Amino acid sequence: MDSERADKWLWATRFFKTRSLAAKACTAGKVERAGLPVKAATSLHEEDVLHIPFPEGPGTRVVRIKKLISLRVGAPLAQACYEDLTDPAVYEHLKQVLAEKREAGT
């Protein structure tokens, strides 16, 4: 497999709960490759670096594609399909924001 649709790969690797949500993120210009928005039907290739928003809060995840898949798999297999290049500070900020939301909701 030389390429895969962006929405399919994002869904298969569990970045979005549904393929429809992956497609909406692409359509809204939230997923980027090389600084340019990725459309849902854009062909992705191994070694592409993507910037993907966190659905649950602020921040963007940066991943390098290691393997192309089109069917949804379990989390351990999905994680083997990409290399996470995200700065750890981004995850810390997300955790802090989510904790504040939980505290405000109680």
Side-chain angles (χ1 to χ4, degrees):
M1 184 181 321
D2 296 325
S3 66
E4 186 55 70
R5 284 178 57 107
D7 59 342
K8 262 185 153 175
W9 188 84
L10 291 165
W11 166 75
T13 50
R14 309 182 79 81
F15 287 104
F16 295 93
K17 289 183 179 185
T18 66
R19 188 170 164 195
S20 175
L21 288 173
K24 285 180 185 176
C26 290
T27 301
K30 294 181 179 181
V31 179
E32 294 182 352
R33 175 179 62 189
L36 300 172
V38 172
K39 294 184 180 179
T42 297
S43 294
L44 297 180
H45 307 277
E46 289 181 5
E47 300 300 318
D48 281 350
V49 175
L50 303 178
H51 292 255
I52 307 165
F54 289 107
E56 63 274 10
T60 302
R61 183 180 289 139
V62 181
V63 300
R64 176 180 291 120
I65 298 174
K66 290 170 48 178
K67 183 178 178 185
L68 297 168
I69 60 173
S70 60
L71 298 176
R72 194 163 173 96
V73 295
L77 292 175
Q79 290 171 352
C81 295
Y82 61 88
E83 177 184 0
D84 193 343
L85 306 173
T86 309
D87 185 333
V90 173
Y91 285 113
E92 282 302 315
H93 178 67
L94 178 63
K95 279 172 49 177
Q96 186 177 26
V97 168
L98 294 177
E100 289 171 3
K101 282 184 181 179
R102 279 193 298 271
E103 288 174 8
T106 54

